[in-house]
Amino acid sequence: MTTDVLELDKSGLIQDRLRRRTIWFSLAAGFLLTVIWSYQFVDTVIGGTIADTLLGQDAASATLTGPVMGVIFAFVSGLAGTFTACNIAGMSAVAPMIAQGDKVTAQSTFKAMVRPLGWLTVGMCSVAAVYGALGVAFADSIPQLSTDVTAAGMPIRLLQSTVVFGVVGLAFLYLGLAALNVVPDVLARFRAKHPRTDVVVMGVLIGAFLIGRPFPLFHKMFEYAASTGNPLLGSATFVLQAVGNIVFMTLLFILLFSFRQGKFASWLGAREGRLQRFTGGALLLAGSFTFLYWVLRVPSIFGYGWWPMAPWS
């Protein structure tokens, strides 16, 4: 063999080893997160404190007296729900957005950041607007608004959460493996024609979080929108809820992307496979947590199977 062929084989072995490490570390991290996650702390202490502070009153007992209060509550409750188990996976969108970012110069930093954010928002708000309208129009038949429970005491709305987040989690897992070239990249053909496909798809998945979300403040907002019988208000409140959900993610993206005028993004692209591992690892962690938490841990609370949990969770 020539020296070039030997070097190529060596590089391939190194990349394969790094890829396997990324997969196992990300999956293990997602599993561990489901074990230590405390929804009481995240929903009540973090989410509740944010909402109460911004509204200037107890959000859980606040009365939504009209459309203006409804849309304000939608955005605030969306912001408060950022770090809940039904939304935290959205933070992984930072990775594909950085991968989609344009080459940064001192003059183009703002444009390079806005484009992926804009396309992510398009995908997210499209789903939120449609589901908000349908949610109001068919409120009586949506399990998410049901007060019924199963024989074991599991709320029907959590069954919807299990199904929705199970599908979303699998989608994140597949996209993560595709980013690492482990499974076929089903988006490749679309990406060739539409370079922003990845961030639009991420936006669609983040928007789909609303379809399964059981977060109490979101449920309160949904009930109010449904009570008005106005699909347009439903769309508006759901879009604002979704926008509130990505505020912190947007700030993190801007911080990482603009750090020393793109040095972080440049570092990701400095070595072969680093950007792919960063993207794939983030998606795998988000996917494994989302799937395991909602499909296995949540049902186990009501006696459907078993899942390990830390004492505080």
Side-chain angles (χ1 to χ4, degrees), residues 64 66-79 124-125 127-136 210 213 217-245:
L64 306 186
V68 174
M69 181 61 180
V71 296
I72 292 174
F73 189 88
F75 177 78
V76 169
S77 61
L79 189 64
M124 177 187 71
C125 289
V127 175
V130 171
Y131 185 60
L134 292 176
V136 169
L210 300 181
R213 176 162 297 158
L217 295 182
F218 169 76
H219 190 259
K220 182 184 183 74
M221 181 214 76
F222 197 169
E223 286 185 321
Y224 166 73
S227 71
T228 69
N230 185 343
L232 290 178
L233 181 62
S235 287
T237 53
F238 274 56
V239 166
L240 285 170
Q241 169 86 190
V243 171
N245 288 159

Side-chain angles (χ1 to χ4, degrees), residues 78-101:
L79 189 64
T82 298
F83 302 105
T84 58
C86 52
N87 192 72
I88 193 65
M91 300 296 283
S92 66
V94 169
M97 283 200 298
I98 288 179
Q100 285 281 297

Side-chain angles (χ1 to χ4, degrees), residues 44-84:
T44 305
V45 178
I46 297 179
T49 300
I50 291 175
D52 294 350
T53 301
L54 292 178
L55 290 175
Q57 59 178 307
D58 179 32
S61 61
T63 301
L64 306 186
T65 55
V68 174
M69 181 61 180
V71 296
I72 292 174
F73 189 88
F75 177 78
V76 169
S77 61
L79 189 64
T82 298
F83 302 105
T84 58

Side-chain angles (χ1 to χ4, degrees), residues 9-231:
D9 288 343
K10 182 179 179 181
S11 175
L13 289 172
I14 293 174
Q15 292 303 315
D16 188 56
R17 188 183 306 121
L18 291 172
R19 184 185 301 114
R20 289 199 302 270
R21 288 179 179 175
T22 299
I23 292 172
W24 289 115
F25 175 82
S26 301
L27 294 178
F31 164 76
L32 180 61
L33 193 56
T34 66
V35 174
I36 66 174
W37 189 268
S38 172
Y39 70 89
Q40 298 97 330
F41 176 78
V42 175
D43 290 10
T44 305
V45 178
I46 297 179
T49 300
I50 291 175
D52 294 350
T53 301
L54 292 178
L55 290 175
Q57 59 178 307
D58 179 32
S61 61
T63 301
L64 306 186
T65 55
V68 174
M69 181 61 180
V71 296
I72 292 174
F73 189 88
F75 177 78
V76 169
S77 61
L79 189 64
T82 298
F83 302 105
T84 58
C86 52
N87 192 72
I88 193 65
M91 300 296 283
S92 66
V94 169
M97 283 200 298
I98 288 179
Q100 285 281 297
D102 299 323
K103 186 177 180 181
V104 176
T105 66
Q107 292 76 31
S108 69
T109 302
F110 179 76
K111 184 186 294 185
M113 291 188 299
V114 166
R115 283 178 177 171
L117 276 171
W119 284 107
L120 179 95
T121 304
V122 167
M124 177 187 71
C125 289
S126 297
V127 175
V130 171
Y131 185 60
L134 292 176
V136 169
F138 301 99
D140 293 339
S141 57
I142 293 181
Q144 202 169 15
L145 292 177
S146 174
T147 58
D148 294 337
V149 298
T150 67
M154 183 176 181
I156 295 298
R157 65 177 182 272
L158 286 183
L159 290 179
Q160 180 170 332
S161 301
T162 296
V163 173
V164 172
F165 286 111
V167 173
V168 170
L170 289 175
F172 272 104
L173 287 169
Y174 190 92
L175 292 175
L177 292 174
L180 293 168
N181 297 317
V182 176
V183 297
D185 185 356
V186 296
L187 299 179
R189 183 176 61 178
F190 300 98
R191 191 183 300 111
K193 296 181 179 180
H194 308 286
R196 304 296 178 183
T197 294
D198 291 302
V199 290
V200 173
V201 169
M202 286 302 303
V204 168
L205 290 173
I206 292 174
F209 291 171
L210 300 181
I211 303 175
R213 176 162 297 158
F215 183 45
L217 295 182
F218 169 76
H219 190 259
K220 182 184 183 74
M221 181 214 76
F222 197 169
E223 286 185 321
Y224 166 73
S227 71
T228 69
N230 185 343

Side-chain angles (χ1 to χ4, degrees), residues 22 26 95 175-177 179-180 275-285:
T22 299
S26 301
L175 292 175
L177 292 174
L180 293 168
L275 179 58
Q276 288 76 17
R277 291 192 297 275
F278 175 71
T279 303
L283 293 172
L284 287 176
L285 194 160

